[in-house]
Amino acid sequence: MARWRQMEILGHFLDTQCQRLPRGVPEHALLRWCVTQKLFERTQDGSDPVIPSPRDSVEDPGLLYELEKAGLPLRDAQQLGADLALQAKASLRELHAVQSANQTCGPVVLAEALQAVKLSCGSRTVLIAPQYWHKLIQTYHSLTIDQGLSVPGGEPMAKPEELLGIVRTGEKRKRGESPEKEHTETVRKKVRTQQSQQETETRNKQREEKAEQEQEAEEDEEKEERDKRVGEKEDTEPKAETEIGQQDTKVNEVSQELAKRAFCLLARYEMQGGEGYQAALPLPVFDFLTGAPLYVTHECFASPLNRTLASFTSAYPDVDMPFGSRGNFFQLRQLFGSTGGSFEANPPFMEEIMLAMALYFEHWMQDEQVKEDGGVPLSVTVFVPGWDDTPAYDVMQQSPFRKVMLVLEKDKHGYRPGFQHKPGSQRSISYATTFVFVLQNRNGALQWPLPPSPLDLRDRLLSAFHSS
């Protein structure tokens, strides 16, 4: 609640400063500024998950570019960026003071709205479609209540000097020579760890369901025996009432805890806005990606609200982890560093994040490539907008690990809406070209070999888009 309020204050400050610009405030300027600043921070305990702690020496070139494009002179844009950083620090101080006084969210009221579930806390209300509400409940109850509340620390998400060139300059990034194309076939039969994990999860779920059925059968038998013991009725009834009362209390506690966490989750994404940055691939496309030849097992940029696969990383682990998130994308090496994997990456269409993602995979694959055995197998299928004048495009297009680049024409494919969890959301057609890159290191190419012709991959992918 307090964080939402502070974000509104920051938004109002930016609106006030830009109200006299010919083109007004650049769209989603505050969201992009927060995201870019967070890229410069370490993901460690104590830092706020949304409001950045800007370093005085780091300017946001993306914000400067957008403000200049809106009609603000460079010097004034730089001053506005510095003022926004000071305002963010003030917001953090106020937020910490509020949190020190009251660390918990107030009671959350659940109610049925028109074709929606309504969660209210104080003056704030969020809506979620019933099918997504049931999805959250199922995921929450399949995890332990306290799982994943701490976010593991990690290396910086991206180096500032690598992101400072984000403003389009038209200059093409030069890449080094490609490493050797051939490699001894000593790792051909590496175990597909991610597939084995999924199979293990399925078996565990089946065992749990079987155990629940057996427990229900035992309870039915015990009830029949109690009914037959008429003489012992006065001894069993008080005990049964006590047990039922304890169970009801426990269910109420869990329900309220679930409601609080669900409200915080929904409020976070409502506060963030930027629906277009959260668009997701259609379900038939995931059916294609998780099958031959890619066998994708993990979504790199998802949320508990729009994820498709059981394994995913997301933007806000502090509110996402109780609903299945495995952490932040930039902790991927900590999660899969010993096994590798085949990933799907559909990042928010922000140049800053796309460049950070491209560099992250590039460095990871380079580090694995120089190992004596070629390192763990890595494969990533990336979906980005068809912007061929961005640094992210240059990194992936010129990468020695690029195996395939596909072009999906606009109007011939579409995405699920970013706020698909809200009632009335519908699939949208893409009005821009999409680039699809498949990046693999040597062992990744051995583990997940692609067909000889990229056209076959493209046709199957388009067919999956069309069937949605």
Side-chain angles (χ1 to χ4, degrees):
M1 299 285 287
R3 184 176 290 109
W4 196 341
R5 175 58 181 159
Q6 292 305 317
M7 286 295 290
E8 288 178 338
I9 292 174
L10 285 175
H12 178 71
F13 171 80
L14 192 58
D15 289 344
T16 302
Q17 297 298 314
C18 297
Q19 62 183 358
R20 287 179 290 182
L21 293 180
R23 297 177 58 180
V25 184
E27 186 177 13
H28 305 308
L30 179 61
L31 173 59
R32 290 190 59 178
W33 179 79
C34 288
V35 168
T36 303
Q37 292 296 325
K38 295 301 288 184
L39 289 175
F40 297 147
E41 296 180 9
R42 288 181 180 270
T43 53
Q44 58 187 5
D45 294 338
S47 63
D48 190 84
V50 180
I51 302 176
S53 303
R55 300 190 307 188
D56 295 334
S57 59
V58 177
E59 289 184 339
D60 181 353
L63 178 65
L64 297 183
Y65 174 75
E66 294 293 339
L67 291 175
E68 283 189 280
K69 195 167 64 173
L72 194 65
L74 176 59
R75 180 168 295 184
D76 293 342
Q78 291 173 327
Q79 183 60 50
L80 178 53
D83 292 343
L84 184 59
L86 292 175
Q87 184 66 44
K89 291 178 181 179
S91 294
L92 283 174
R93 287 194 295 271
E94 185 170 343
L95 178 61
H96 293 160
V98 172
Q99 290 176 333
S100 298
N102 180 18
Q103 291 284 352
T104 61
C105 172
V108 175
V109 179
L110 277 75
E112 293 290 334
L114 183 63
Q115 297 181 339
V117 175
K118 181 170 68 173
L119 291 85
S120 300
C121 182
S123 60
R124 305 285 186 179
T125 298
V126 290
L127 297 176
I128 182 172
Q131 65 269 31
Y132 288 92
W133 174 242
H134 295 315
K135 180 179 177 181
L136 286 182
I137 293 176
Q138 291 173 357
T139 304
Y140 181 82
H141 285 301
S142 69
L143 303 171
T144 57
I145 293 178
D146 293 325
Q147 179 177 350
L149 293 185
S150 61
V151 182
E155 57 198 81
M157 295 179 180
K159 297 178 181 178
E161 60 268 21
E162 291 175 337
L163 289 177
L164 289 179
I166 194 65
V167 179
R168 301 178 189 177
T169 62
E171 297 180 2
K172 296 297 181 179
R173 179 187 177 94
K174 295 182 179 180
R175 306 296 301 171
E177 292 294 326
S178 172
E180 297 177 4
K181 296 181 179 179
E182 301 298 330
H183 182 56
T184 56
E185 297 187 5
T186 58
V187 291
R188 179 67 181 176
K189 294 183 179 180
K190 280 199 173 182
V191 179
R192 292 177 178 171
T193 307
Q194 300 306 315
Q195 290 177 270
S196 299
Q197 288 179 349
Q198 281 193 334
E199 292 173 358
T200 301
E201 291 174 357
T202 301
R203 287 195 297 269
N204 290 340
K205 185 176 181 180
Q206 291 173 346
R207 283 197 291 267
E208 291 173 358
E209 292 176 350
K210 185 177 180 180
E212 290 176 357
Q213 293 174 356
E214 291 175 352
Q215 184 178 357
E216 290 176 358
E218 291 178 0
E219 291 174 352
D220 291 340
E221 291 177 0
E222 291 175 359
K223 183 179 179 182
E224 291 176 1
E225 291 179 4
R226 285 197 300 268
D227 291 342
K228 291 178 183 179
R229 298 173 187 171
V230 178
E232 301 176 2
K233 191 172 183 181
E234 52 276 7
D235 294 332
T236 59
E237 281 184 350
K239 183 178 179 181
E241 290 175 358
T242 302
E243 290 177 348
I244 292 173
Q246 291 174 347
Q247 291 175 355
D248 287 345
T249 301
K250 193 171 184 179
V251 168
N252 290 336
E253 290 175 356
V254 172
S255 298
Q256 183 57 214
E257 186 68 20
L258 166 62
K260 287 181 179 180
R261 292 185 173 176
F263 176 84
C264 290
L265 170 73
L266 292 165
R268 178 68 58 81
Y269 285 93
E270 184 80 16
M271 173 191 70
Q272 171 190 279
E275 177 179 2
Y277 292 135
Q278 302 180 56
L281 298 175
L283 297 180
V285 175
F286 274 105
D287 291 338
F288 164 71
L289 294 174
T290 54
L294 295 167
Y295 294 106
V296 168
T297 58
H298 181 86
E299 288 181 76
C300 294
F301 296 91
S303 77
L305 301 169
N306 69 5
R307 61 96 178 169
T308 299
L309 305 184
S311 179
F312 68 96
T313 38
S314 59
Y316 303 115
D318 63 310
V319 294
D320 294 340
M321 274 184 159
F323 298 98
S325 171
R326 300 189 64 181
N328 189 284
F329 163 76
F330 296 97
Q331 297 155 353
L332 209 61
R333 291 182 72 166
Q334 296 172 261
L335 297 171
F336 297 97
S338 62
T339 62
S342 180
F343 310 104
E344 175 271 342
N346 177 30
F349 291 173
M350 297 182 188
E351 295 179 37
E352 300 87 350
I353 294 183
M354 293 190 297
L355 175 60
M357 174 211 66
L359 291 171
Y360 191 89
F361 278 117
E362 184 79 5
H363 294 163
W364 189 4
M365 291 185 180
Q366 286 175 351
D367 292 344
E368 297 298 325
Q369 196 87 324
V370 299
K371 294 181 180 179
E372 186 175 351
D373 63 351
V376 297
L378 296 173
S379 175
V380 56
T381 306
V382 181
F383 293 79
V384 291
W387 302 338
D388 59 4
D389 58 348
T390 63
Y393 171 84
D394 292 341
V395 171
M396 292 186 287
Q397 172 65 17
Q398 300 174 28
S399 171
F401 306 107
R402 177 177 63 84
K403 303 302 178 185
V404 171
M405 175 190 168
L406 307 176
V407 179
L408 306 182
E409 295 84 359
K410 63 179 182 180
D411 302 329
K412 292 187 178 180
H413 64 291
Y415 295 87
R416 285 182 289 162
F419 288 165
Q420 58 188 269
H421 61 279
K422 288 188 173 182
S425 296
Q426 297 179 348
R427 176 177 174 269
S428 60
I429 298 295
S430 177
Y431 295 103
T433 299
T434 293
F435 290 156
V436 182
F437 291 92
V438 179
L439 309 175
Q440 296 178 330
N441 64 355
R442 282 195 298 253
N443 290 342
L446 292 174
Q447 185 85 11
W448 302 285
L450 300 178
S453 173
L455 292 178
D456 176 60
L457 210 61
R458 178 181 176 276
D459 291 343
R460 292 176 58 190
L461 186 56
L462 279 176
S463 177
F465 270 108
H466 292 161
S467 64
S468 63

